[in-house]
Amino acid sequence: MAQVSAMQLLAELSTLPTDLTVREWVAHSGLDPAHEISGTSVRKASRISRAGNRHLRRALYMPALVASRCDPHAKAFFESLLARNKARLQALIAVARKLLHAIYGIFRSGLKYEGTKLFPKITLSRHNPT
């Protein structure tokens, strides 16, 4: 993560209360899914709620984009979502949400980032087509 993104994220996250859970962080960022269901007839596709902090979402976008291209674990996760016919932006938002989970874990535990803990069910491909 670059310095500018880290500073933006730190500025947005440092103002949050320390007793929030990771789900509350995700809701605060507006990256939580919003389901639109009305009775039995209306079931629209889920979207992110966008009810939270737009600055935090904006600060997570570029690190998610870079992680989906450069971090082997995030890239494998991103490609697995694309293989399940998710839209590119939808997969990118999922990576951003995972990064927010990682940041939460780093803040709470003080440990370094480990992609294997963040994406445990993703297997890395040995073949890298270029």
Side-chain angles (χ1 to χ4, degrees):
M1 190 173 293
Q3 278 186 331
V4 173
S5 296
M7 292 299 286
Q8 288 174 338
L9 287 169
L10 200 56
E12 295 298 328
L13 295 173
S14 65
T15 61
L16 296 178
T18 57
D19 61 341
L20 292 181
T21 65
V22 70
R23 295 184 84 174
E24 291 170 325
W25 270 35
V26 170
H28 176 75
S29 70
L31 293 175
D32 55 328
H35 308 286
E36 190 171 336
I37 300 172
S38 176
T40 59
S41 62
V42 179
R43 291 187 187 274
K44 293 188 177 179
S46 297
R47 299 172 176 258
I48 61 170
S49 70
R50 293 191 193 127
N53 187 336
R54 67 179 176 182
H55 303 292
L56 185 54
R57 274 193 314 279
R58 178 191 239 184
L60 281 167
Y61 177 79
M62 195 55 70
L65 188 63
V66 171
S68 68
R69 293 182 181 175
C70 300
D71 179 22
H73 301 285
K75 184 176 183 176
F77 176 67
F78 181 77
E79 289 174 355
S80 72
L81 291 174
L82 293 179
R84 293 186 344 204
N85 296 325
K86 301 294 182 186
R88 291 185 81 71
L89 187 59
Q90 191 176 13
L92 189 63
I93 294 301
V95 172
R97 182 178 171 154
K98 284 277 194 174
L99 287 179
L100 190 59
H101 278 259
I103 294 167
Y104 180 86
I106 290 168
F107 274 24
R108 294 294 181 249
S109 68
L111 299 174
K112 291 183 179 183
Y113 169 79
E114 284 188 45
T116 55
K117 288 185 178 180
L118 190 60
F119 307 102
K121 296 179 183 176
I122 303 297
T123 57
L124 300 177
S125 63
R126 296 179 191 260
H127 181 313
N128 188 7
T130 54

